[in-house]
C-alpha cells in the first residue's frame, strides 16, 4: 500500500512519527542508493538543508515530515523525492491536502477533525474529499486506498458518513475591512457600493438559504449586515480624514488605498505622522514586520539584538500610534499590539545576520520565520508604490525587500 501520506494532528506529531520509524529495515539497497544520490543533488542546490535534523530519516528510512513549520526548500525536497517514487511515507498535517501534488497510493487518517489555526473542528465533506483525493497515483495505480485508524481522535461513524456526503456548500469569504473600504471608494460612491453588496455572493447565499427554508418575504435587506459593516468603516474613515463627508477619498485616502497590507490604516497613520524610518532599509523592514506579526510575543531579547537605534525607533512608533489605536478600539475595531521581537528579528535578518542567529532571536520554527519575512516583503511592496507622496520611503522599501528576500527564504536556482 506504499507510498502513503499519513495525516496527523499537529506539526509535533509529524516530527515525532519519524522516530517511530527508526527500526524499519531497508529492504531495497538499490533504491536507497538512488535516493541518497538524489538527496545529494538536491542538497547541493540548497546547502542550508544539508544539516537538517530530519535528513537522516529521509535518506535511511525513506520517510519525511511535511508541515508549515518547515522551510520551503525542505518541503520542495520532500515533494521531489515523493514524486520520483523514492519515499515510502510522508507525515503531514491536513494543510498538505490542498495545493500540493503528492502522489501516493494510500492516505492514512488518524483524526476525524482538523486544526484551523484556532480550534479543532470536525472534518467537512470537502476537506475529507481533498484528503482522500490524494490516494491513487495517476498513471501508476488502478485504485487508491484510504485507511482510517481508530483512536481517541477518530470518530469512525463520522468518517463513514463523510464517505457518501456531497461536497460542502461554498461559503462567502467576504469581510469588510479598511483596505476593502478604501478600494471600493476609489471608483464607487457609497450608493454604488451598497448596490454592489446587494449583488454580492454573500447576499446570494442568504437569499438561497431563506428560500430553502421556505421563508416567504421580499429579499431586500439581506445585504444589510455587510452594508452596516461598511458604514462602520466609512464613518471612521470620515472622522480621521481619509474620506470626505460626501463619501469621496481625500488625498490621504487615495494613497492609503494603495496599502493593501495587514494593517493599512495603522500603517497609513504612521506615514501621516512621519514616524517611520524612511531612509533606513533595515529599520523600515523591522517596523513593518511588527505590523505583520500576528502572534503573541515576549520581548525578552538579548541586548545584542536590540540596538539603541532599533529600540528608539520602535518605541517612537508604538507610543505615537497609541492614541490612534485607542480611538480605533473605542469604535470597536480590532487592533493588534505591536511587539519588539518580530521587529528585532527582521532587523537582524536585514542587517545580514546568519539564519541560525535570526532563528534564535525569532524563537519560532523555520517555516514560520520564512512566512513572517515573506509577508513583510509583501507589505513593503505596497509601500514601494507610494512614489508620489513618500518617494524616499518607496525607494527605501525596494532596498528593504532586496535585503530580506534571500536564501533560504527564497530558493536559489530552484531545486
Amino acid at each position: 500500500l506504499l507510498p502513503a501520506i499519513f495525516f496527523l494532528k499537529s506539526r509535533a506529531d509529524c516530527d515525532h512519527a519519524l522516530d517511530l520509524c527508526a527500526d524499519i529495515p531497508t529492504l531495497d539497497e538499490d533504491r536507497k542508493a538512488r535516493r541518497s544520490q538524489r538527496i545529494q543533488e538536491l542538497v547541493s542546490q540548497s546547502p542550508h538543508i544539508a544539516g537538517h535534523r530530519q535528513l537522516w530519516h529521509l535518506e535511511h528510512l525513506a520517510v519525511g515530515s511535511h508541515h508549515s513549520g518547515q522551510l520551503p526548500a525542505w518541503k520542495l525536497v520532500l515533494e521531489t523525492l515523493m514524486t520520483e517514487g523514492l519515499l515510502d511515507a510522508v507525515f503531514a498535517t491536513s494543510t498538505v491536502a490542498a495545493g500540493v501534488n503528492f502522489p501516493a497510493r494510500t492516505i492514512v487518517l488518524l483524526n476525524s477533525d482538523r486544526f484551523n489555526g484556532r480550534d479543532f473542528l470536525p472534518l467537512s465533506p470537502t476537506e475529507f474529499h481533498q484528503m482522500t483525493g490524494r490516494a491513487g497515483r495517476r498513471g501508476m495505480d488502478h485504485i487508491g486506498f484510504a485507511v482510517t485508524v481508530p483512536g481517541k481522535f477518530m470518530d469512525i461513524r463520522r468518517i463513514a458518513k463523510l464517505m457518501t456526503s456531497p461536497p460542502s456548500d461554498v461559503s462567502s469569504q467576504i469581510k469588510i475591512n479598511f483596505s476593502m473600504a478604501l478600494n471600493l471608494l476609489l471608483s464607487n460612491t457609497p450608493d454604488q457600493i451598497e448596490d454592489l453588496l446587494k449583488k454580492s455572493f454573500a447576499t446570494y447565499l442568504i437569499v438561497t438559504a431563506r428560500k430553502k427554508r421556505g421563508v416567504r418575504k421580499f429579499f431586500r435587506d439581506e445585504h444589510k449586515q455587510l452594508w452596516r459593516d461598511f458604514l462602520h468603516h466609512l464613518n471612521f474613515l470620515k472622522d480621521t480624514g481619509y474620506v470626505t463627508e460626501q463619501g469621496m477619498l481625500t488625498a490621504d485616502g487615495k494613497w492609503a488605498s494603495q496599502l493593501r497590507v495587514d494593517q493599512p490604516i495603522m500603517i497609513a497613520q504612521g506615514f501621516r505622522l512621519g514616524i517611520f524610518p524612511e531612509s533606513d532599509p533595515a529599520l523600515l523592514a523591522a517596523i513593518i514586520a511588527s505590523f505583520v506579526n500576528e502572534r503573541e510575543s515576549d520581548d525578552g531579547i538579548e541586548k545584542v539584538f536590540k540596538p539603541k537605534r532599533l529600540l528608539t525607533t520602535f518605541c517612537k512608533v508604538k507610543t505615537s500610534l497609541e492614541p490612534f489605536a485607542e480611538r480605533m478600539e473605542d469604535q470597536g475595531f480590532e487592533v493588534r499590539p505591536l511587539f519588539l521581537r518580530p521587529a528585532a528579528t527582521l532587523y537582524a535578518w536585514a542587517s545580514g545576520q546568519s539564519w541560525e542567529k535570526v532563528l534564535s532571536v525569532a524563537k519560532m520554527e523555520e517555516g514560520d520565520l520564512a512566512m513572517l519575512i515573506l509577508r513583510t516583503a509583501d507589505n513593503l511592496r505596497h509601500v514601494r508604490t507610494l512614489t508620489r507622496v513618500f518617494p524616499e520611503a518607496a525607494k527605501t522599501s525596494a532596498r528593504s525587500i532586496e535585503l530580506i528576500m534571500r536564501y533560504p527564504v527564497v530558493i536559489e536556482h530552484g531545486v
Side-chain angles (χ1 to χ4, degrees), residues 391-411:
E392 188 173 11
K395 183 179 178 181
T396 300
S397 65
R399 177 65 183 137
S400 301
I401 295 167
E402 291 176 6
L403 292 176
I404 66 175
M405 289 297 283
R406 66 180 197 273
Y407 182 82
V409 178
V410 179
I411 302 172

Side-chain angles (χ1 to χ4, degrees), residues 24-50:
I24 295 175
T26 300
L27 300 176
D28 189 336
E29 290 293 341
D30 179 61
R31 183 165 174 259
K32 180 185 175 184
R34 285 188 288 116
R35 184 169 58 252
S36 298
Q37 182 179 348
R38 189 67 176 112
I39 288 173
Q40 268 191 336
E41 295 169 0
L42 297 171
V43 167
S44 69
Q45 296 174 52
S46 294
H48 175 77
I49 60 176

Side-chain angles (χ1 to χ4, degrees), residues 17 28 36 46-47 62 71 95 114-115 131 162 182 188 213 226 240 275 277 281 286 304 324 331 356 360 383 395 397:
D28 189 336
S36 298
S46 294
L71 274 174
T95 51
R114 69 182 291 270
F115 188 60
M131 295 164 83
L162 288 173
L182 288 166
N188 299 278
R213 293 199 304 268
L226 286 173
T240 50
I275 56 176
V304 67
F324 190 78
Q331 293 299 315
E356 288 70 27
S360 72
V383 175
K395 183 179 178 181
S397 65

Side-chain angles (χ1 to χ4, degrees), residues 14-231:
C14 294
D15 294 339
H16 177 60
L18 299 178
D19 295 328
L20 300 178
C21 300
D23 296 329
I24 295 175
T26 300
L27 300 176
D28 189 336
E29 290 293 341
D30 179 61
R31 183 165 174 259
K32 180 185 175 184
R34 285 188 288 116
R35 184 169 58 252
S36 298
Q37 182 179 348
R38 189 67 176 112
I39 288 173
Q40 268 191 336
E41 295 169 0
L42 297 171
V43 167
S44 69
Q45 296 174 52
S46 294
H48 175 77
I49 60 176
H52 198 286
R53 63 187 183 279
Q54 296 174 0
L55 196 62
W56 185 87
H57 302 82
L58 200 64
E59 183 173 356
H60 295 277
L61 305 177
V63 297
S65 172
H66 188 293
H67 53 70
S68 56
Q70 306 277 21
L71 274 174
W74 176 257
K75 290 191 284 188
L76 192 54
V77 167
L78 259 69
E79 291 160 23
T80 302
L81 294 172
M82 192 72 164
T83 301
E84 295 177 3
L86 296 172
L87 294 186
D88 288 333
V90 169
F91 302 101
T93 51
S94 55
T95 51
V96 81
V100 178
N101 181 25
F102 258 164
R105 177 171 292 166
T106 304
I107 67 104
V108 184
L109 291 172
L110 288 91
N111 317 307
S112 53
D113 57 4
R114 69 182 291 270
F115 188 60
N116 69 353
R118 297 180 303 278
D119 306 295
F120 283 101
L121 299 175
L123 284 175
S124 70
T126 296
E127 289 163 347
F128 175 78
H129 290 306
Q130 280 182 331
M131 295 164 83
T132 54
R134 294 292 170 194
R137 297 166 296 178
R138 182 171 296 178
M140 300 175 68
D141 297 320
H142 295 297
I143 188 170
F145 298 90
V147 178
T148 56
V149 180
K152 61 180 179 178
F153 302 122
M154 173 60 70
D155 181 345
I156 291 292
R157 289 184 180 86
R158 177 167 185 82
I159 294 295
K161 186 177 179 181
L162 288 173
M163 288 180 69
T164 55
S165 297
S168 312
D169 290 335
V170 178
S171 61
S172 171
Q173 299 300 313
I174 187 171
K175 187 178 184 298
I176 304 295
N177 54 36
F178 284 111
S179 184
M180 174 182 280
L182 288 166
N183 277 278
L184 285 171
L185 289 164
L186 196 59
S187 52
N188 299 278
T189 65
D191 287 344
Q192 289 171 327
I193 291 168
E194 183 176 16
D195 191 50
L196 285 172
L197 294 177
K198 285 180 183 177
K199 298 173 181 176
S200 72
F201 183 54
T203 302
Y204 165 79
L205 290 176
I206 295 169
V207 172
T208 303
R210 287 185 175 176
K211 284 181 176 177
K212 284 182 179 177
R213 293 199 304 268
V215 178
R216 293 173 176 270
K217 67 183 287 293
F218 291 105
F219 300 106
R220 290 177 180 166
D221 302 327
E222 286 70 18
H223 70 292
K224 287 298 185 184
Q225 182 56 51
L226 286 173
W227 177 237
R228 282 194 293 269
D229 204 6
F230 173 77
L231 288 178

Side-chain angles (χ1 to χ4, degrees), residues 301-328:
I301 305 163
E302 289 182 56
K303 191 173 181 180
V304 67
F305 292 118
K306 47 180 184 180
K308 185 178 179 181
R309 187 186 184 103
L310 172 65
L311 274 175
T312 302
T313 304
F314 178 80
C315 290
K316 177 184 177 183
V317 169
K318 188 171 182 177
T319 303
S320 300
L321 285 174
E322 274 177 2
F324 190 78
E326 288 173 4
R327 192 173 174 183
M328 287 184 69

Side-chain angles (χ1 to χ4, degrees), residues 233-254:
H233 287 76
L234 176 64
N235 290 333
F236 187 82
L237 291 170
K238 286 180 179 180
D239 291 344
T240 50
Y242 290 97
V243 177
T244 68
E245 282 303 317
Q246 293 71 39
M248 298 178 64
L249 294 182
T250 62
D252 283 351
K254 287 178 181 176

Side-chain angles (χ1 to χ4, degrees), residues 334-408:
E334 181 187 1
V335 180
R336 295 204 301 261
L338 300 181
F339 292 105
L340 178 61
R341 187 173 295 281
T345 298
L346 263 290
Y347 188 76
W349 182 239
S351 300
Q353 294 284 353
S354 70
W355 182 252
E356 288 70 27
K357 281 275 179 67
V358 176
L359 273 173
S360 72
V361 182
K363 295 195 181 305
M364 61 179 70
E365 291 196 62
E366 289 187 308
D368 294 326
L369 174 55
M371 184 55 65
L372 174 65
I373 294 169
L374 289 168
R375 288 181 59 191
T376 300
D378 188 52
N379 278 236
L380 286 164
R381 289 187 186 98
H382 292 281
V383 175
R384 191 175 59 186
T385 65
L386 304 179
T387 51
R388 187 177 59 80
V389 281
F390 300 104
E392 188 173 11
K395 183 179 178 181
T396 300
S397 65
R399 177 65 183 137
S400 301
I401 295 167
E402 291 176 6
L403 292 176
I404 66 175
M405 289 297 283
R406 66 180 197 273
Y407 182 82

